Amino acid sequence: DTGVSQDPRHKITKRGQNVTFRCDPISEHNRLYWYRQTLGQGPEFLTYFQNEAQLEKSRLLSDRFSAERPKGSFSTLEIQRTEQGDSAMYLCASSSGGASGTDPYEQYFGPGTRLTVT
Amino acid sequence: AQSVTQLGSHVSVSEGALVLLRCNYSSSVPPYLFWYVQYPNQGLQLLLKYTSAATLVKGINGFEAEFKKSETSFHLTKPSAHMSDAAEYFCAVSLSGNTPLVFGKGTRLSVIA
């Protein structure tokens, strides 16, 4: 078990460009969450999946944001036409849902992808 | 809707002193409550959680928290601060542990030698 991984760790892009982030959850975790954290604030929920199904999207997730989780494994978060206000740390987390006798209540977080839009 | 309020964006204590980080929650249903710690440039690590069992919850690194329904509080304590405790601490609430978390704004803990 290598934990939740995210790629890239840092991304600098110019306003108007598209960016895509990847999250690899802990294997066999069926739930995957995306959060956004701006400086001095707590993480804010964006969206989450159970297997490949997207269960909920926050109203924070504008039309420029899209997330998917093909085959219920890794997930990608894409931001189109980036704006300076998109600059933040994007965190991914996964949980087991109680599968395999594991703790259903703990969300395991990755190290995050820090996005800077210039 | 659920929400969390963390009182004090920055708390400073001396090494060896009591640590007390405050968290009050609002929830229309019995909540699941969590404390996470975040070190610089790292993700969040779970310290402890309340899931409707014992109201006094013990976590990692000597931290504990007590769920008080009458006060809608879930304050985090540690009897003796260590330099390595310096970090950002987040309180969070959810409908269950398996649903999205709602976080407070965080409290930065500084430990003075």
Side-chain angles (χ1 to χ4, degrees), chain A residues 9 31 33 35 37 40-43 45 48 56 89 91 95-97 103-107 109-111 114, chain B residues 32 34 36 38 41-46 49 51 88 90 94 96-106:
Chain A
R9 293 291 306 275
R31 291 207 170 186
Y33 311 78
Y35 295 87
Q37 184 178 20
Q41 301 294 318
F45 165 71
Y48 81 116
E56 185 179 346
M89 175 77 85
L91 295 166
S95 67
S96 68
D103 186 342
Y105 300 114
E106 181 167 357
Q107 293 184 23
F109 281 80
R114 182 169 295 283
Chain B
Y32 289 75
F34 306 82
Y36 280 84
Q38 186 177 35
N41 299 316
Q42 294 186 27
L44 283 76
Q45 180 183 14
L46 181 66
K49 59 183 181 290
T51 58
E88 190 87 19
F90 294 95
S94 75
S96 76
N98 213 19
T99 52
L101 297 165
V102 176
F103 286 89
K105 292 187 176 182

Side-chain angles (χ1 to χ4, degrees), chain B residues 4 10 17 28 32 38-39 49-50 52 54 57 60-61 64-66 71-72 100 103 106-107 112-113:
Chain B
V4 168
H10 183 209
S28 57
Y32 289 75
Q38 186 177 35
Y39 297 99
K49 59 183 181 290
Y50 167 75
S52 74
V57 181
I60 62 172
N61 301 339
E64 63 181 38
E66 186 172 8
E71 299 177 9
T72 61
F103 286 89
T107 297
I112 304 167

Side-chain angles (χ1 to χ4, degrees), chain A residues 10-82:
Chain A
H10 303 275
K11 178 70 177 179
I12 299 174
T13 191
K14 293 184 177 180
R15 183 165 53 95
Q17 297 294 305
N18 299 344
V19 294
T20 300
F21 309 141
R22 176 180 171 124
C23 171
D24 287 90
I26 294 172
S27 59
E28 298 184 358
H29 275 194
N30 60 11
R31 291 207 170 186
L32 187 149
Y33 311 78
W34 285 99
Y35 295 87
R36 181 173 66 186
Q37 184 178 20
T38 54
L39 201 61
Q41 301 294 318
E44 295 174 298
F45 165 71
L46 292 178
T47 187
Y48 81 116
F49 295 83
Q50 176 158 318
N51 299 316
E52 65 276 10
Q54 190 170 21
L55 296 186
E56 185 179 346
K57 292 192 292 186
S58 163
R59 64 179 184 275
L60 291 176
L61 212 65
S62 76
D63 292 344
R64 297 184 298 106
F65 288 70
S66 63
E68 58 180 28
R69 192 184 182 196
K71 303 178 182 178
S73 56
F74 71 91
S75 176
T76 58
L77 178 68
E78 181 183 16
I79 308 174
Q80 296 183 325
R81 305 181 302 281
T82 52

